[in-house]
Amino acid sequence: MTVDTPTQTVLYTLEQAIKAYRKLCQHNLDAVADDLTVDQALTLIVLEKYPALSQQQIAELVFKDKASITRIIELLTQKGLLTRDIHPQDRRKFALSITTQGKHILAHLADTIALNQQTALAGLADEEIRQFHQTLQKIIANCLVPPACA
Amino acid sequence: MTVDTPTQTVLYTLEQAIKAYRKLCQHNLDAVADDLTVDQALTLIVLEKYPALSQQQIAELVFKDKASITRIIELLTQKGLLTRDIHPQDRRKFALSITTQGKHILAHLADTIALNQQTALAGLADEEIRQFHQTLQKIIANCLVPPACA
DNA sequence: TTTGTATAGTTGATATATCAACTATATTGG
DNA sequence: CCAATATAGTTGATATATCAACTATACAAA
């Protein structure tokens, strides 16, 4: 493992890759939805797949802060894609449900997601992707700050 | 290449990895500098290595918008780590120079950078890193939105 | 020179990231 | 049941991301 200035490292390239991918996602998303961010779309998708999740659980699933989720959900609600009701079992929580309009948009999103992935990973063999994934996992494990020191 | 829901894809793991790495960087940075963000530190480091860069060029180098660079530089100036003077050859530009205090902080940053990289890439063979880097480059190329359509 | 165009940087608006402080509600131990 | 503690979510503050509009300056062409 060689150490270099930041702009020469693989981790720098990692940053570049994620930014390029986000741009692609937003670009493809703009084609099917008006005024919807990638993060808003992701939250909607997660809620469709796991309807019973609390905001805290959503946050963990998408690696965001619960504060960010609060604000994203607020925007989704403002846009009429989501409704929030008090959770019947736990009054601290909210029961989130996707509106008809939200479901309508979700129907279009499936293709966009597939397109994003296919575009980004075009020309990569399954084995290469597997390897890549494994390396990512190692990096993630390496980066975890020990909670005791954090 | 297999398509899945977002939370199952390698690109999702990519997002996770970069967030974990950023957290590690900020954690290690906090140990040597007070009230300095990773992006501010990166900008300072780039300016040390390439002192003649314009803000636009810095932006390209670190994959940020020139608007973000404007604000980061403003903060670095406020903190007394950087000074801005009008560029003698081009009055649209600024000549940025690192103050004594900035250089003092930079002296501490070298170790932190090395630590970040070594920690994140611990246990990875050079060949694995090389492969990883290559895959990242492919993904970046795949994600570039054709300028004509953007 | 003048006009047109390109470039450097700033600023505003909105979304998200992060941390900390806060409220409301649950839960647990006694 | 009550007090202590934990959890769900909100809010505020600040930094950054992104896009668009804008100013000032440079440059190129006529």
Side-chain angles (χ1 to χ4, degrees):
Chain A
M1 193 198 60
T2 316
V3 173
D4 267 313
T5 48
T7 54
Q8 295 168 340
T9 63
V10 66
L11 296 156
Y12 191 73
T13 310
L14 194 66
E15 181 94 22
Q16 187 181 6
I18 199 72
K19 287 194 178 178
Y21 181 59
R22 283 209 200 105
K23 235 169 222 174
L24 170 72
C25 288
Q26 188 65 61
H27 176 77
N28 287 337
L29 182 56
D30 287 343
V32 300
D34 234 34
D35 191 35
L36 197 66
T37 69
V38 170
D39 293 300
Q40 289 163 15
L42 176 61
T43 303
L44 212 51
I45 289 163
V46 165
L47 267 172
E48 182 186 39
K49 186 162 189 197
Y50 310 100
L53 286 189
S54 69
Q55 297 185 192
Q56 176 64 49
Q57 289 170 317
I58 295 171
E60 283 160 20
L61 199 55
V62 300
F63 313 120
K64 292 182 189 299
D65 195 279
K66 56 184 178 172
S68 295
I69 296 297
T70 292
R71 282 150 187 157
I72 289 174
I73 283 176
E74 192 186 337
L75 290 174
L76 287 173
T77 304
Q78 279 176 20
K79 291 176 187 180
L81 308 182
L82 220 55
T83 57
R84 283 201 326 179
D85 303 288
I86 293 175
H87 194 284
Q89 269 78 54
D90 188 335
R91 293 165 54 85
R92 291 171 305 180
K93 298 184 183 179
F94 290 96
L96 302 170
S97 36
I98 302 172
T99 65
T100 306
Q101 194 188 343
K103 283 173 188 163
H104 186 67
I105 288 184
L106 272 168
H108 293 292
L109 289 187
D111 288 342
T112 303
I113 296 164
L115 176 62
N116 289 340
Q117 293 175 21
Q118 281 163 2
T119 304
L121 302 179
L124 303 193
D126 278 355
E127 172 56 21
E128 182 173 3
I129 294 177
R130 207 191 51 71
Q131 249 305 321
F132 181 71
H133 195 266
Q134 210 167 64
T135 303
L136 280 174
Q137 297 286 7
K138 287 186 193 172
I139 292 175
I140 291 169
N142 283 339
C143 287
L144 290 184
V145 176
C149 313
Chain B
M1 192 199 60
T2 316
V3 173
D4 267 314
T5 48
T7 55
Q8 295 168 341
T9 62
V10 66
L11 296 156
Y12 191 73
T13 310
L14 194 66
E15 181 94 23
Q16 187 181 5
I18 200 71
K19 286 194 178 177
Y21 181 60
R22 282 209 202 105
K23 233 170 224 174
L24 171 71
C25 288
Q26 187 66 61
H27 176 78
N28 287 337
L29 182 56
D30 287 343
V32 301
D34 234 33
D35 190 33
L36 197 66
T37 69
V38 170
D39 293 300
Q40 289 163 15
L42 177 60
T43 303
L44 213 51
I45 289 163
V46 165
L47 266 173
E48 183 187 37
K49 188 162 188 196
Y50 311 100
L53 287 190
S54 69
Q55 297 186 194
Q56 176 66 46
Q57 289 170 318
I58 296 171
E60 283 161 20
L61 198 57
V62 300
F63 313 121
K64 292 181 189 300
D65 195 280
K66 56 184 178 172
S68 295
I69 296 297
T70 291
R71 281 149 186 155
I72 289 173
I73 283 176
E74 190 186 338
L75 291 174
L76 286 173
T77 304
Q78 277 175 22
K79 290 175 187 178
L81 308 182
L82 218 56
T83 56
R84 283 203 322 180
D85 303 287
I86 294 176
H87 193 285
Q89 269 78 53
D90 188 335
R91 293 164 55 85
R92 293 171 302 179
K93 298 185 183 178
F94 290 96
L96 302 169
S97 35
I98 302 173
T99 64
T100 307
Q101 194 188 345
K103 284 175 187 161
H104 187 68
I105 288 184
L106 271 168
H108 292 292
L109 289 186
D111 287 343
T112 303
I113 295 164
L115 176 62
N116 290 339
Q117 294 175 21
Q118 281 162 2
T119 304
L121 303 179
L124 303 192
D126 278 354
E127 171 56 22
E128 183 174 1
I129 294 177
R130 207 191 52 73
Q131 249 304 319
F132 182 70
H133 194 268
Q134 208 166 66
T135 303
L136 280 174
Q137 296 286 7
K138 287 186 193 173
I139 292 175
I140 292 169
N142 284 337
C143 288
L144 291 183
V145 176
C149 311

